[in-house]
Amino acid sequence: MSVLPEHLFANPVWHALHSQHRHLSVSAGDNACRYPADVVPFVAVDAPTISSMQQLHSLLAPNESVWLFAKNFPLIPELIHQQSLNCFQMSLPANVIVPDTATNILPLSDANAHEMVALTTLAFPGYFRPRTYEMGSYFGVRSSSGELIAMGGERLKLDDFSEISAVCTHPSFRGQGLAASLIWRLVRDHRRDGLVSWLHVACANQHAIDLYLRLGFVIVRKITLQRFSRNNSLD
């Protein structure tokens, strides 16, 4: 069974921004960092302390909200806690056989960013941004008329681990196995490159969880994300 090490995956954004995504990191001091706002709304601290949360505050723009992986955190006046979200981290064991898929899957690039944002907005608005495609490889399926109807790609990348994310299908084309085909396309690349495939899924999203379990993914742990915004009244 593939295992996602606790010391890395309790704080995956921090470790992604200090390894495979170092080139995307924006930092404030030594204790807080983030992805650019037009890439993804994820931030990280080395540990949830008052000083690191204060550094985090300095990275946020007025009216911006971001997500931090942290079960516990200190409250500071400069930040407003808006929401907690429980997710499962899942990984694909190495002994799962990857099937061949015949779906016509095409690579996506910066030229397709507007289409990717539009499609993902139907499923999870606000998470996919104009530059999210820079985080990894993205693939899509088009209808006979050329419309992007399904997609999936990579998000957080740590040494030896690549997250599958943004897997979605237009509501008019669901039930055709497109999401599974896209996941297997990504997994084949990961197996080729010696990477472990993993993902996050909201604990409340039973439909997606059932799909991942059918494909052979296993739940490794539950993790909590916290949504914060800058307290503009103190600016």
Side-chain angles (χ1 to χ4, degrees):
M1 180 182 295
S2 296
V3 176
L4 308 180
E6 176 75 24
H7 74 281
L8 294 177
F9 286 87
N11 197 1
V13 173
W14 177 267
H15 292 288
L17 288 171
H18 284 79
S19 58
Q20 294 297 310
H21 282 165
R22 189 177 293 106
H23 62 289
L24 293 172
S25 179
V26 179
S27 62
D30 297 326
N31 308 116
C33 58
R34 65 168 297 169
Y35 284 94
D38 57 354
V39 174
V40 74
F42 286 166
V43 299
V45 294
D46 61 341
T49 63
I50 290 176
S51 61
S52 65
M53 297 298 282
Q54 289 171 334
Q55 287 185 25
L56 177 59
H57 159 262
S58 70
L59 289 171
L60 305 189
N63 302 314
E64 181 184 17
S65 64
V66 294
W67 291 94
L68 172 73
F69 284 78
K71 184 176 182 180
N72 302 300
F73 56 91
L75 289 171
I76 63 171
E78 297 91 340
L79 292 173
I80 298 173
H81 179 246
Q82 296 179 309
Q83 179 185 358
S84 296
L85 177 65
N86 290 321
C87 292
F88 290 125
Q89 288 179 339
M90 304 181 73
S91 68
L92 188 68
N95 61 0
V96 172
I97 298 174
V98 180
D100 291 328
T101 52
T103 304
N104 187 20
I105 295 175
L106 303 171
L108 300 174
S109 68
D110 57 337
N112 312 115
H114 63 291
E115 296 177 281
M116 290 190 276
V117 171
L119 181 57
T120 54
T121 297
L122 296 175
F124 30 80
Y127 286 95
F128 200 94
R129 305 289 175 85
R131 291 176 55 208
T132 303
Y133 69 86
E134 295 183 21
M135 300 181 78
S137 298
Y138 283 85
F139 298 93
V141 178
R142 294 189 179 278
S143 67
S144 57
S145 63
E147 176 188 7
L148 183 65
I149 59 172
M151 62 169 283
E154 298 171 305
R155 190 169 59 179
L156 300 180
K157 300 185 79 170
L158 292 73
D159 292 341
D160 302 322
F161 303 90
S162 189
E163 181 191 19
I164 294 175
S165 183
V167 178
C168 60
T169 303
H170 190 284
S172 300
F173 295 89
R174 289 174 182 162
Q176 301 179 28
L178 300 180
S181 294
L182 286 159
I183 290 169
W184 290 132
R185 174 66 176 80
L186 291 159
V187 169
R188 281 196 293 273
D189 285 356
H190 294 169
R191 293 281 178 88
R192 178 198 66 202
D193 297 335
L195 302 174
V196 173
S197 302
W198 66 287
L199 54 85
H200 285 109
V201 59
C203 294
N205 190 351
Q206 193 61 50
H207 178 76
I209 293 170
D210 289 343
L211 169 63
Y212 300 139
L213 290 174
R214 286 198 304 271
L215 297 183
F217 283 81
V218 296
I219 295 173
V220 177
R221 67 177 57 86
K222 182 187 290 186
I223 194 164
T224 303
L225 287 80
Q226 311 290 351
R227 188 181 183 190
F228 290 96
S229 64
R230 184 173 177 137
N231 188 350
N232 298 327
S233 66
L234 298 181
D235 292 341

